[in-house]
Amino acid sequence: MSHKIDQLLNQQLNLLKNEGRYRFFADLQRIPGQFPKALYRPNDGQKPYQVTVWCSNDYLGMGQHPKVIQAMHTAIDQFGAGAGGTRNISGTHHLMVRLEHELASLHNKESALGFSSGYVSNEASLAALAKATEDCAVFSDRLNHASMIAGIRNSRAEKFIFNHNDSVHLKDLLGKINHNRLKIIAIESVYSMEGDIAPLAEFCQIARENDALLYVDEVHAVGLYGKQGGGISERDLLTDSCTVIQGTLAKAFGLMGGYIAGSKVLVDYVRSFAAGFIFTTALPPVIAAGALASIQHLRQDQSLREQHQLKVRFLKNSLKAAGIPMLPSQSHIVPVLVGDAVQCLALSRLLLQNHAIYVQPINYPTVPKGSERLRLTPSPFHQENDINFLVEALKGEWKKLGLRRAE
């Protein structure tokens, strides 16, 4: 029986490989204190060599910040390795309590709740909230993350998909349902594959006019935008208009885990009804300690955010001058458009083999077919010579592959 299953599964894997969509995992060893450098270990017997990473979600390098590392050393010495189980059974360690208080304060909300990942926090929270009543209607942006889609689907609530960042389409859909129904508008603030930013003020206004709950995924914005790193909602002074702010500890904060922040009642409801929270082992104290140190540092120190934005602008301007096609990103995410899965994979491999540049191809189903891309994420620690080297490498390999240049 297992042999037949293996044959069937292998056929599906071969389809992925033939389409250029099979995902290869690179054996990378991050080097503390040398971010964004890493040691790459090829699987063909070649000696390991140093590469420059251009696609990390550790946007500010906080995963290697001395304050974060020291806090984690201290925590593991004081509290041990694991959390001991779910919070319902094993209790909540005090560092988690402090972390949730810090997150609530960061977003100027009454309460916050931590999860094992950003994916889980979205899936569990949206599923629970949309089940609060039998006649809930959920309005979801067409480009929302898979975790949001999964949560909405699992709730079995009636859903309406509006065109990406299209407030007019959203208003039209809202006008077609009974005004008295519970309504949830689910959006992201920064979309990770396009790099564009939602017109948050418009969505806040629509939510107010329609008495709707506004659920904002700030995963790719927390730590990076706003005076204290509270995200686009803080930057645009709209925090109070967002019913739920969802974020992650795994990107700009450099660790792992997810969270929501909102009113005390809403957070208590999710804590009490979300299966993905109730039945999942809690984050260990060492992770909570590192995340707490990271958030506190970024709330007080603007320098990394400022340097980050400078490097983003320099990279975008350099790519534009070189004729490398980019999607019109408004954020720190720089999508380089290739438009073909096989060519995108080939470009990624050539950059790694010939230039020691590591950037993974982004293919379907993460992005639509025909829009395959390299997703560049410059950090404050990429130097101008790193950026110049990347652009020259892209120009050369782009020409070898016969890819279209920007007009």
Side-chain angles (χ1 to χ4, degrees):
M1 186 67 177
S2 62
H3 178 64
K4 290 181 180 178
I5 291 174
D6 286 348
Q7 284 185 332
L8 174 64
L9 300 181
N10 201 45
Q11 288 174 3
Q12 297 300 315
L13 289 170
N14 285 333
L15 282 175
L16 279 183
K17 292 174 182 177
N18 292 337
E19 293 174 6
R21 296 195 293 116
Y22 183 77
R23 296 168 190 256
F24 295 92
F25 287 177
D27 186 347
L28 284 180
Q29 178 182 324
R30 283 153 59 96
I31 306 171
Q34 297 185 42
F35 183 81
K37 305 298 181 183
L39 192 65
Y40 171 61
R41 301 179 187 277
N43 58 9
D44 57 3
Q46 293 183 51
K47 290 183 178 181
Y49 58 92
Q50 192 177 91
V51 298
T52 303
V53 178
W54 274 100
C55 53
S56 175
N57 282 342
D58 187 359
Y59 294 130
L60 300 177
M62 289 302 295
Q64 299 186 20
H65 195 282
K67 287 184 180 179
V68 173
I69 293 172
Q70 182 56 56
M72 296 178 79
H73 275 298
T74 300
I76 203 164
D77 288 341
Q78 290 183 346
F79 307 112
T86 66
R87 291 166 68 175
N88 181 52
I89 292 173
S90 299
T92 295
H93 55 81
H94 184 61
L95 283 172
M96 199 68 208
V97 174
R98 290 179 57 197
L99 174 60
E100 288 174 340
H101 286 166
E102 190 73 27
L103 289 166
S105 173
L106 172 66
H107 295 295
N108 196 32
K109 298 294 184 185
E110 291 179 340
S111 191
L113 187 68
F115 293 79
S116 56
S117 74
Y119 187 104
V120 173
S121 59
N122 263 337
E123 191 280 328
S125 299
L126 279 167
L129 289 167
K131 287 179 182 177
T133 177
E134 291 183 357
D135 67 345
C136 180
V138 184
F139 298 82
S140 178
D141 188 286
R142 187 173 299 279
L143 294 187
N144 274 344
H145 191 264
S147 58
M148 303 175 78
I149 294 169
I152 295 165
R153 183 190 299 119
N154 292 343
S155 75
R156 299 186 180 179
E158 186 177 13
K159 65 177 182 292
F160 300 85
I161 310 300
F162 59 91
N163 295 332
H164 178 51
N165 279 345
D166 191 338
S167 57
V168 174
H169 189 207
L170 172 59
K171 284 192 283 189
D172 181 59
L173 292 173
L174 281 161
K176 294 179 179 179
I177 70 163
N178 187 317
H179 185 74
N180 293 322
R181 294 176 66 179
L182 173 64
K183 299 171 287 294
I184 299 175
I185 300 170
I187 64 170
E188 298 181 43
S189 62
V190 175
Y191 286 83
S192 63
M193 292 301 140
E194 276 64 34
D196 56 350
I197 296 176
L200 190 54
E202 293 178 26
F203 287 132
C204 288
Q205 180 65 27
I206 292 169
R208 281 194 296 271
E209 291 172 352
N210 290 273
D211 193 25
L213 182 159
L214 182 60
Y215 184 104
V216 184
D217 176 324
E218 289 256 43
V219 159
H220 291 275
V222 290
L224 300 170
Y225 299 93
K227 187 177 180 180
Q228 297 184 77
I232 298 299
S233 55
E234 186 198 12
R235 186 197 71 175
D236 295 351
L237 306 178
L238 294 168
T239 300
D240 291 345
S241 298
C242 302
T243 317
V244 182
I245 293 176
Q246 182 267 350
T248 185
L249 307 171
K251 293 181 171 56
F253 294 134
L255 277 300
M256 65 173 291
Y259 65 89
I260 61 166
S263 71
K264 184 177 181 180
V265 170
L266 185 145
V267 170
D268 192 22
Y269 169 85
V270 172
R271 182 190 70 86
S272 301
F273 286 91
F277 173 81
I278 295 169
F279 299 106
T280 300
T281 298
L283 287 175
V286 64
I287 297 295
L292 182 61
S294 180
I295 295 165
Q296 289 175 337
H297 176 77
L298 289 176
R299 291 187 74 178
Q300 298 167 1
D301 189 346
Q302 287 278 6
S303 62
L304 281 176
R305 279 191 286 278
E306 292 169 355
Q307 283 297 312
H308 185 227
Q309 289 300 317
L310 288 173
K311 299 299 172 57
V312 169
R313 285 195 291 272
F314 186 78
L315 174 60
K316 287 180 178 179
N317 290 337
S318 299
L319 289 169
K320 184 177 181 180
I324 303 295
M326 294 177 290
L327 293 176
S329 166
Q330 302 164 287
S331 69
H332 59 284
I333 294 164
V334 186
V336 171
L337 187 61
V338 178
D340 178 87
V342 174
Q343 293 281 62
C344 196
L345 177 60
L347 179 59
S348 171
R349 286 178 168 174
L350 288 170
L351 290 170
L352 182 60
Q353 294 166 4
N354 297 340
H355 308 279
I357 290 171
Y358 174 72
V359 54
Q360 279 289 76
I362 305 294
N363 298 323
Y364 178 84
T366 306
V367 296
K369 290 182 179 180
S371 68
E372 292 82 2
R373 65 201 65 173
L374 300 181
R375 176 181 173 275
L376 302 176
T377 53
S379 76
F381 302 101
H382 285 94
Q383 303 303 314
E384 288 191 3
N385 62 323
D386 293 321
I387 295 174
N388 292 332
F389 185 78
L390 168 68
V391 172
E392 288 302 312
L394 273 170
K395 283 170 61 178
E397 302 302 345
W398 206 270
K399 184 176 181 180
K400 285 181 190 176
L401 292 171
L403 299 172
R404 292 182 62 181
R405 300 284 288 273
E407 297 179 359

